[in-house]
Amino acid sequence: MKIKINEKKRFQTLTGFGVSGAWWAQFVGGWTDIDEESGLEKRERIAQLLFDNEQGIGISQYRYNIGAGSADSNAGRYSTDRRRTRGLEKAPGVYDWSNDANAVWFMYAAKKYGVDEITLFVNSPPERLTKNHKAYLDTALKTNLSRKNFDEFAKYCLDITEHFVNEGLPIKYISPVNEPVWVWLENQEGCHYRPCQVYALMKVFAKALDARKGLKGVKLAGAENGDIRWFNKTYSHIMLRNPLIRSKVDGVDIHSYCMPTPKIPILNKPLNDRLAYAKRYRKWMDRHYPDAPVKISEWCHMQGGRDYGMNSALEQAKIMTEDLTVMNAVSWQLWVGLSEVDYCDGIIYYFDENGENAFKLTKRYYAFGNFSKYIKRGSVRIDARIDCENAYAVAFDCSDEIAVIIINFSENAEECSIDFGEKSAVMYVTDEENSLDKHEIDNLGSFSVSAKSVNTVIIKK
């Protein structure tokens, strides 16, 4: 495979890579027992593995879930109590900042290890403000938040935001709506909104945010639509067409899922061609809002079963590269950092092992690090062309070096060249045998890329 780099052809400027703390942080944040390998508290070691650039993979963005309080009320039916959340309010306008102490601990740890951007996001308004006083819907396609409560909901979110800003946390965004198109019946917190309701709610939030002098550096994020195929244009219009809302956002946040649809032969290909939808959305954005950045605020490999190996890691790297190169995403975030379920979810699994807290890293963790550890805020994507159908390449100008990420999907090792002449470089390899291991490249004109691998080549200018 041959890779041609054109440093003069420049695209978007990256802001970073991230994860959310839903719902694991409210449990793992209480792990004060000692990790024998590092000598640190287990929660501290996990924070280090996620956010520290030397002892971990340098994730620089973090999303904290403002809970609706379903764990406090115990109202409703959930598939697992681990999907319930604690609230921060003990009475209207009166807050208990210790009630979600474990999850809040991870925000402070994220800042400690270098995170420079935190988003506060909401799945459901607090139960006291919902129509059914639960954190999910009783009736499909009916919103659970009355318009009479929009102002109170905004006050609640901005009170919490202002508190954490005053605590010195790098809160950059508040996202009041999450995946509004879904119906959210039982099992987890969520709230459905029609587009007109999102539009009205965002105007209320924008006006309230504008009045808060202590939140001048905070923006709104949204509308966090839940599938790359449906309604992204509609929700992008909502975020960008109104002058008031536009003054409080710096782009649009979307989720990069492409949910599998029923296998109807005549519809299977068009309904599941994720890349075609991404291309059409980018073309539409270039036509209507060319100056508005696109941010991918959520994705996970929605496949059953735990995969610690390269299959899921390659799928994750593939989606990341497509979003960076096709949609020109300026940031890219995973749905969760840790997971305890039997699913390709998160990049670290946590579990009970003989009555003790335990965790295990996946190849997804290391493959994510191929991006997050080396592509920092301010890096600029540059043109990279690869002549191999079974491989991807994406390149970045990282100030004093060029970083080229090469994904080889083949079952075989491949010979590779990058058109930088006979310069030497270093390559960080994630495959079945390597986990971000460093390899020296003597000559960029001829080197080997291992089978089923994600590789970051660092070339000094």
Side-chain angles (χ1 to χ4, degrees), residues 288-353:
H288 294 281
Y289 302 106
D291 298 326
V294 173
K295 296 172 280 184
I296 303 300
S297 54
E298 187 175 316
W299 183 85
C300 76
H301 186 191
M302 300 191 73
Q303 179 173 295
R306 291 190 179 189
D307 182 8
Y308 288 92
M310 284 304 299
N311 288 339
S312 184
L314 287 169
E315 179 66 14
Q316 175 183 281
K318 171 180 176 287
I319 299 299
M320 294 177 75
T321 302
E322 288 176 350
D323 289 346
L324 291 167
T325 58
V326 174
M327 287 198 287
N328 287 350
V330 300
S331 62
W332 203 94
Q333 302 189 5
L334 285 163
W335 157 224
V336 291
L338 275 70
S339 173
E340 88 290 0
V341 297
D342 190 25
Y343 207 65
C344 290
D345 197 4
I347 51 179
I348 301 174
Y349 288 116
Y350 71 100
F351 45 89
D352 180 285
E353 188 175 70

Side-chain angles (χ1 to χ4, degrees), residues 1-2 386-391 406-417 427 446-453 455:
M1 62 179 73
K2 296 181 179 179
I386 189 168
D387 67 354
C388 180
E389 293 183 356
N390 211 21
I406 306 166
I407 307 165
N408 181 22
F409 300 99
S410 173
E411 298 280 351
N412 302 306
E414 300 286 344
E415 288 302 307
C416 183
S417 67
M427 180 167 66
S446 179
F447 63 97
S448 180
V449 174
S450 59
K452 297 180 68 173
S453 63
N455 312 270

